Coordinates of all heavy atoms in Angstrom, one line a residue:
M1 N 0.8 -1.2 0.0 CA 0.0 0.0 0.0 C 0.9 1.3 0.0 O 1.8 1.4 0.8 CB -0.9 0.0 1.2 CG -1.9 1.2 1.4 SD -2.9 1.4 -0.1 CE -4.5 0.9 0.7
F2 N 0.6 2.2 -0.9 CA 1.3 3.4 -1.0 C 0.7 4.4 0.0 O -0.5 4.4 0.2 CB 1.3 4.0 -2.4 CG 2.1 3.3 -3.4 CD1 1.6 2.5 -4.3 CD2 3.5 3.4 -3.3 CE1 2.3 1.8 -5.2 CE2 4.3 2.7 -4.2 CZ 3.7 1.9 -5.2
K3 N 1.6 5.3 0.5 CA 1.1 6.4 1.4 C 1.5 7.7 0.7 O 2.5 7.8 0.1 CB 1.7 6.3 2.7 CG 1.2 5.1 3.6 CD 1.8 5.2 5.0 CE 1.4 3.9 5.8 NZ 0.0 3.8 6.0
C4 N 0.6 8.7 1.0 CA 0.9 10.1 0.5 C 2.2 10.6 1.1 O 2.5 10.5 2.3 CB -0.3 11.0 1.0 SG 0.1 12.7 0.6
I5 N 3.1 11.1 0.2 CA 4.4 11.6 0.6 C 4.3 12.8 1.4 O 5.2 13.3 2.1 CB 5.4 11.7 -0.5 CG1 4.8 12.7 -1.6 CG2 5.8 10.4 -1.1 CD1 5.9 13.0 -2.7
K6 N 3.1 13.5 1.4 CA 3.0 14.8 2.1 C 2.3 14.6 3.4 O 2.8 15.1 4.5 CB 2.2 15.8 1.2 CG 2.6 17.2 1.5 CD 2.0 18.1 0.4 CE 1.8 19.5 0.9 NZ 0.9 20.3 0.1
C7 N 1.2 13.9 3.5 CA 0.4 13.8 4.7 C 0.4 12.4 5.3 O -0.1 12.2 6.4 CB -1.0 14.3 4.5 SG -2.0 13.2 3.5
G8 N 0.9 11.4 4.5 CA 1.0 10.0 5.1 C -0.2 9.2 5.0 O -0.2 8.1 5.5
R9 N -1.3 9.7 4.4 CA -2.5 8.9 4.3 C -2.4 7.8 3.3 O -1.6 7.9 2.4 CB -3.6 9.9 3.8 CG -5.0 9.5 4.1 CD -6.0 10.6 3.8 NE -6.2 10.6 2.4 CZ -7.0 11.5 1.8 NH1 -7.6 12.5 2.5 NH2 -7.2 11.5 0.5
D10 N -3.1 6.7 3.6 CA -3.1 5.6 2.6 C -3.8 6.1 1.3 O -4.8 6.8 1.4 CB -3.9 4.4 3.2 CG -3.2 3.7 4.3 OD1 -2.0 3.8 4.4 OD2 -3.9 3.0 5.1
L11 N -3.2 5.7 0.2 CA -3.7 6.1 -1.1 C -4.6 5.2 -1.7 O -4.4 4.0 -1.6 CB -2.5 6.4 -2.0 CG -1.5 7.5 -1.6 CD1 -0.3 7.5 -2.5 CD2 -2.2 8.8 -1.5
T12 N -5.6 5.7 -2.4 CA -6.5 4.9 -3.2 C -6.0 4.8 -4.6 O -5.1 5.5 -5.0 CB -7.9 5.5 -3.2 OG1 -7.9 6.7 -3.9 CG2 -8.5 5.7 -1.8
H13 N -6.6 3.9 -5.4 CA -6.3 3.8 -6.8 C -6.5 5.1 -7.5 O -5.7 5.5 -8.4 CB -7.2 2.7 -7.4 CG -6.7 2.2 -8.7 ND1 -5.6 1.5 -8.9 CD2 -7.3 2.3 -9.9 CE1 -5.4 1.3 -10.2 NE2 -6.5 1.7 -10.8
D14 N -7.5 5.8 -7.1 CA -7.8 7.1 -7.8 C -6.7 8.2 -7.4 O -6.3 9.0 -8.3 CB -9.2 7.7 -7.3 CG -10.3 7.0 -8.0 OD1 -10.1 6.2 -8.9 OD2 -11.5 7.3 -7.6
D15 N -6.3 8.2 -6.2 CA -5.2 9.1 -5.8 C -4.0 8.9 -6.7 O -3.4 9.8 -7.2 CB -4.8 8.9 -4.3 CG -5.8 9.2 -3.3 OD1 -6.6 10.2 -3.5 OD2 -5.9 8.5 -2.3
I16 N -3.6 7.6 -6.8 CA -2.4 7.3 -7.5 C -2.6 7.6 -9.0 O -1.7 8.2 -9.7 CB -2.0 5.8 -7.3 CG1 -1.6 5.6 -5.9 CG2 -0.9 5.4 -8.3 CD1 -1.4 4.1 -5.5
G17 N -3.8 7.3 -9.6 CA -4.0 7.6 -11.0 C -4.0 9.1 -11.2 O -3.4 9.6 -12.2
F18 N -4.6 9.9 -10.3 CA -4.6 11.3 -10.4 C -3.2 11.9 -10.4 O -2.8 12.8 -11.2 CB -5.5 11.9 -9.3 CG -5.9 13.4 -9.6 CD1 -6.5 13.8 -10.8 CD2 -5.6 14.4 -8.6 CE1 -6.8 15.1 -11.0 CE2 -6.0 15.7 -8.8 CZ -6.6 16.1 -10.0
H19 N -2.4 11.4 -9.4 CA -1.0 11.9 -9.3 C -0.3 11.6 -10.7 O 0.4 12.5 -11.2 CB -0.3 11.2 -8.2 CG 1.1 11.7 -7.9 ND1 1.4 12.5 -6.9 CD2 2.2 11.5 -8.7 CE1 2.7 12.8 -7.0 NE2 3.3 12.2 -8.0
K20 N -0.4 10.4 -11.2 CA 0.3 10.0 -12.4 C -0.2 10.9 -13.6 O 0.6 11.3 -14.4 CB 0.0 8.5 -12.8 CG 0.8 7.6 -11.9 CD 0.6 6.2 -12.4 CE 1.5 5.2 -11.6 NZ 1.2 3.8 -11.9
K21 N -1.5 11.2 -13.6 CA -2.0 12.0 -14.7 C -1.5 13.4 -14.6 O -1.2 14.0 -15.6 CB -3.6 12.0 -14.6 CG -4.3 12.6 -15.7 CD -4.5 11.5 -16.8 CE -5.1 12.2 -18.0 NZ -5.2 11.2 -19.1
M22 N -1.5 13.9 -13.4 CA -1.2 15.4 -13.2 C 0.3 15.6 -13.1 O 0.8 16.7 -13.4 CB -1.8 15.9 -11.9 CG -3.3 15.8 -11.9 SD -4.1 16.8 -13.1 CE -3.8 18.5 -12.3
V23 N 1.1 14.7 -12.5 CA 2.5 14.9 -12.3 C 3.4 14.2 -13.2 O 4.1 14.8 -14.1 CB 2.9 14.6 -10.8 CG1 4.3 14.9 -10.5 CG2 2.0 15.3 -9.8
S24 N 3.3 12.8 -13.2 CA 4.2 12.1 -14.0 C 3.7 10.6 -14.1 O 3.5 10.0 -13.0 CB 5.6 12.1 -13.6 OG 6.4 11.0 -14.1
R25 N 3.6 10.0 -15.2 CA 3.2 8.6 -15.4 C 4.2 7.7 -14.7 O 3.9 6.6 -14.3 CB 3.1 8.3 -16.8 CG 1.7 8.6 -17.4 CD 1.5 8.1 -18.8 NE 0.2 8.4 -19.2 CZ -0.7 7.5 -19.5 NH1 -0.5 6.3 -19.4 NH2 -2.0 7.9 -19.8
G26 N 5.5 8.2 -14.7 CA 6.6 7.3 -14.2 C 6.8 7.5 -12.7 O 7.8 7.0 -12.1
A27 N 5.9 8.3 -12.0 CA 6.1 8.6 -10.6 C 6.2 7.3 -9.8 O 5.5 6.3 -10.1 CB 5.0 9.5 -10.1
E28 N 7.0 7.3 -8.8 CA 7.1 6.2 -7.9 C 6.7 6.6 -6.4 O 6.6 5.7 -5.6 CB 8.5 5.6 -7.9 CG 8.8 4.9 -9.2 CD 10.1 4.3 -9.4 OE1 11.0 4.6 -8.5 OE2 10.4 3.6 -10.3
E29 N 6.5 7.9 -6.2 CA 6.0 8.3 -4.9 C 4.8 9.2 -5.3 O 4.8 9.9 -6.3 CB 7.0 9.2 -4.2 CG 8.2 8.5 -3.8 CD 9.2 9.4 -3.1 OE1 9.5 10.5 -3.7 OE2 9.7 9.1 -2.0
F30 N 3.8 9.2 -4.4 CA 2.5 9.8 -4.8 C 1.9 10.7 -3.7 O 2.2 10.4 -2.5 CB 1.5 8.7 -5.1 CG 2.0 7.7 -6.1 CD1 2.5 6.5 -5.7 CD2 2.0 8.0 -7.5 CE1 3.0 5.6 -6.6 CE2 2.5 7.1 -8.4 CZ 3.0 5.9 -7.9
M31 N 1.1 11.6 -4.1 CA 0.3 12.4 -3.1 C -1.1 12.1 -3.2 O -1.6 11.6 -4.3 CB 0.5 13.9 -3.4 CG 1.9 14.5 -2.9 SD 2.0 16.3 -3.1 CE 2.4 16.5 -4.8
C32 N -1.9 12.2 -2.1 CA -3.3 12.0 -2.2 C -4.0 13.2 -2.9 O -3.4 14.2 -3.2 CB -3.9 11.9 -0.8 SG -3.8 13.4 0.2
I33 N -5.3 13.0 -3.2 CA -6.0 14.0 -3.9 C -6.0 15.4 -3.2 O -5.8 16.4 -3.8 CB -7.5 13.5 -4.2 CG1 -7.4 12.4 -5.2 CG2 -8.3 14.7 -4.7 CD1 -8.8 11.8 -5.4
D34 N -6.2 15.3 -1.9 CA -6.2 16.6 -1.1 C -4.9 17.4 -1.3 O -4.8 18.6 -1.4 CB -6.5 16.4 0.3 CG -8.0 15.9 0.5 OD1 -8.8 16.5 -0.2 OD2 -8.3 15.1 1.4
C35 N -3.8 16.6 -1.1 CA -2.4 17.3 -1.2 C -2.2 17.8 -2.7 O -1.6 18.8 -2.9 CB -1.3 16.4 -0.7 SG -1.4 16.1 1.0
L36 N -2.6 17.0 -3.6 CA -2.5 17.4 -5.0 C -3.3 18.7 -5.3 O -2.9 19.6 -6.0 CB -2.9 16.3 -6.0 CG -1.9 15.1 -6.2 CD1 -2.6 14.0 -6.9 CD2 -0.7 15.6 -6.9
C37 N -4.5 18.8 -4.7 CA -5.3 20.0 -4.8 C -4.6 21.2 -4.3 O -4.6 22.2 -4.9 CB -6.6 19.8 -4.1 SG -7.8 18.7 -5.0
D38 N -4.0 21.0 -3.1 CA -3.2 22.1 -2.5 C -2.1 22.5 -3.5 O -1.8 23.7 -3.7 CB -2.5 21.6 -1.2 CG -3.4 21.8 0.0 OD1 -4.5 22.3 -0.2 OD2 -3.0 21.4 1.1
Y39 N -1.4 21.5 -4.0 CA -0.2 21.7 -4.8 C -0.6 22.4 -6.1 O 0.1 23.3 -6.5 CB 0.4 20.3 -5.1 CG 1.7 20.3 -5.9 CD1 2.9 20.7 -5.2 CD2 1.7 20.1 -7.2 CE1 4.1 20.7 -5.9 CE2 3.0 20.1 -7.9 CZ 4.1 20.4 -7.2 OH 5.3 20.4 -7.9
F40 N -1.7 22.1 -6.7 CA -2.1 22.7 -8.0 C -3.1 23.8 -7.8 O -3.6 24.4 -8.8 CB -2.7 21.6 -8.9 CG -1.6 20.7 -9.5 CD1 -1.5 19.4 -9.1 CD2 -0.7 21.1 -10.4 CE1 -0.6 18.5 -9.6 CE2 0.3 20.3 -10.9 CZ 0.3 19.0 -10.5
G41 N -3.5 24.1 -6.6 CA -4.5 25.1 -6.3 C -5.9 24.8 -6.8 O -6.6 25.6 -7.3
L42 N -6.2 23.5 -6.8 CA -7.6 23.0 -7.2 C -8.5 22.8 -6.0 O -8.0 22.6 -4.9 CB -7.5 21.7 -7.9 CG -6.7 21.6 -9.2 CD1 -6.4 20.2 -9.6 CD2 -7.4 22.3 -10.3
T43 N -9.8 22.8 -6.2 CA -10.7 22.4 -5.2 C -10.8 20.9 -5.3 O -10.6 20.3 -6.4 CB -12.1 23.0 -5.3 OG1 -12.6 22.6 -6.5 CG2 -12.0 24.5 -5.2
R44 N -11.2 20.3 -4.2 CA -11.4 18.8 -4.2 C -12.5 18.5 -5.2 O -12.5 17.5 -5.9 CB -11.8 18.5 -2.7 CG -12.3 17.1 -2.5 CD -11.2 16.1 -2.3 NE -11.7 14.8 -2.5 CZ -11.1 13.7 -2.0 NH1 -10.0 13.8 -1.3 NH2 -11.6 12.5 -2.2
E45 N -13.5 19.3 -5.2 CA -14.7 19.1 -6.1 C -14.2 19.0 -7.6 O -14.6 18.2 -8.4 CB -15.7 20.2 -5.9 CG -17.1 19.8 -6.5 CD -18.0 21.0 -6.5 OE1 -17.6 22.1 -6.1 OE2 -19.1 20.9 -6.9
K46 N -13.4 20.0 -7.9 CA -12.8 20.1 -9.3 C -12.0 18.9 -9.6 O -12.1 18.3 -10.7 CB -12.0 21.4 -9.4 CG -11.1 21.5 -10.6 CD -11.9 22.1 -11.8 CE -11.0 22.2 -13.0 NZ -11.8 22.1 -14.3
A47 N -11.2 18.4 -8.6 CA -10.3 17.3 -8.8 C -11.2 16.0 -9.1 O -10.9 15.2 -10.0 CB -9.4 17.0 -7.6
E48 N -12.3 15.9 -8.3 CA -13.1 14.7 -8.5 C -13.8 14.7 -9.9 O -14.0 13.7 -10.5 CB -14.1 14.6 -7.3 CG -13.4 14.0 -6.1 CD -14.2 14.0 -4.9 OE1 -15.4 14.4 -4.9 OE2 -13.7 13.5 -3.9
K49 N -14.2 16.0 -10.3 CA -14.8 16.1 -11.7 C -13.8 15.7 -12.7 O -14.1 15.0 -13.7 CB -15.3 17.5 -11.9 CG -16.6 17.8 -11.3 CD -17.2 19.0 -11.9 CE -18.6 19.3 -11.2 NZ -18.7 20.7 -10.8
M50 N -12.6 16.1 -12.5 CA -11.5 15.7 -13.5 C -11.3 14.2 -13.5 O -11.2 13.6 -14.6 CB -10.2 16.4 -13.1 CG -10.2 17.9 -13.4 SD -8.8 18.7 -12.6 CE -7.5 18.3 -13.7
I51 N -11.3 13.6 -12.3 CA -11.1 12.1 -12.3 C -12.3 11.4 -13.0 O -12.1 10.5 -13.7 CB -11.0 11.7 -10.8 CG1 -9.6 12.2 -10.3 CG2 -11.1 10.2 -10.7 CD1 -9.4 12.0 -8.8
S52 N -13.5 11.9 -12.7 CA -14.6 11.2 -13.4 C -14.5 11.4 -14.9 O -14.9 10.5 -15.7 CB -16.0 11.5 -12.8 OG -16.1 12.8 -12.5
G53 N -14.0 12.6 -15.3 CA -13.8 12.8 -16.7 C -12.8 11.9 -17.3 O -13.0 11.3 -18.4
F54 N -11.7 11.7 -16.6 CA -10.6 10.8 -17.1 C -11.2 9.3 -17.2 O -10.9 8.6 -18.1 CB -9.4 10.7 -16.1 CG -8.7 12.1 -16.0 CD1 -8.2 12.5 -14.8 CD2 -8.5 12.9 -17.1 CE1 -7.5 13.7 -14.7 CE2 -7.8 14.1 -17.0 CZ -7.3 14.5 -15.8
K55 N -12.0 9.0 -16.2 CA -12.6 7.6 -16.2 C -13.5 7.4 -17.4 O -13.5 6.4 -18.1 CB -13.4 7.4 -14.9 CG -12.5 7.1 -13.7 CD -13.3 6.8 -12.5 CE -12.4 6.5 -11.3 NZ -13.1 6.5 -10.1
R56 N -14.3 8.5 -17.6 CA -15.3 8.4 -18.8 C -14.5 8.3 -20.1 O -14.9 7.7 -21.0 CB -16.2 9.6 -18.8 CG -17.5 9.4 -18.1 CD -18.5 10.4 -18.6 NE -18.1 11.8 -18.5 CZ -18.1 12.5 -17.4 NH1 -18.6 12.0 -16.3 NH2 -17.6 13.7 -17.4
A57 N -13.4 9.0 -20.1 CA -12.6 9.0 -21.3 C -11.8 7.6 -21.5 O -11.1 7.4 -22.5 CB -11.6 10.1 -21.3
G58 N -11.9 6.8 -20.5 CA -11.3 5.4 -20.6 C -9.8 5.5 -20.3 O -9.1 4.6 -20.7
C59 N -9.4 6.5 -19.5 CA -7.9 6.6 -19.2 C -7.5 5.4 -18.5 O -8.1 4.9 -17.5 CB -7.7 7.8 -18.4 SG -6.0 8.0 -17.9
S60 N -6.4 4.8 -19.0 CA -5.9 3.5 -18.4 C -5.4 3.7 -17.0 O -5.3 2.7 -16.3 CB -4.8 3.0 -19.3 OG -3.7 3.9 -19.4
L61 N -5.1 4.9 -16.6 CA -4.5 5.1 -15.2 C -5.6 4.9 -14.2 O -5.4 4.7 -13.0 CB -4.0 6.5 -15.1 CG -2.7 6.8 -15.9 CD1 -2.4 8.3 -15.7 CD2 -1.6 5.9 -15.5
F62 N -6.9 4.9 -14.6 CA -8.0 4.8 -13.7 C -8.8 3.5 -13.9 O -9.9 3.3 -13.3 CB -8.9 6.0 -13.8 CG -8.2 7.3 -13.4 CD1 -7.6 8.1 -14.3 CD2 -8.2 7.7 -12.1 CE1 -7.0 9.2 -14.0 CE2 -7.6 8.9 -11.7 CZ -6.9 9.6 -12.7
S63 N -8.3 2.6 -14.7 CA -9.1 1.4 -15.0 C -8.7 0.3 -14.0 O -7.7 0.4 -13.3 CB -8.9 0.9 -16.4 OG -7.5 0.6 -16.6
Ligands
ZN1 ZN1 -1.8 13.8 1.3

């Protein structure tokens, strides 16, 4: 199980997919959605909409 490198929370598949999508596909350390939102200045709601968009688009990082 991966943990967020910033806050130490256990990461979900979505957290990891979002990090890969937003930061780097080759990433080996990840942040949770909340920390990524802080980092990119997004709201949590916006991030979740983006994730559902990526899923709808069939993005392999979220399958
Ligand atoms: Zn975090």
Side-chain angles (χ1 to χ4, degrees):
M1 181 56 110
F2 288 107
K3 288 185 188 298
C4 173
I5 54 173
K6 209 169 153 197
C7 71
R9 201 170 79 183
D10 287 340
L11 295 174
T12 66
H13 194 65
D14 282 357
D15 292 323
I16 292 171
F18 194 55
H19 184 106
K20 285 186 173 172
K21 189 86 185 172
M22 299 295 287
V23 182
S24 161
R25 276 186 178 246
E28 290 180 351
E29 295 180 308
F30 309 98
M31 285 186 276
C32 66
I33 290 175
D34 289 325
C35 292
L36 283 168
C37 284
D38 275 358
Y39 187 77
F40 287 108
L42 297 167
T43 61
R44 171 86 197 201
E45 194 189 6
K46 170 82 179 153
E48 281 174 359
K49 278 195 184 134
M50 289 168 75
I51 289 171
S52 39
F54 296 144
K55 284 182 179 169
R56 266 201 309 278
C59 177
S60 61
L61 294 175
F62 295 92
S63 58

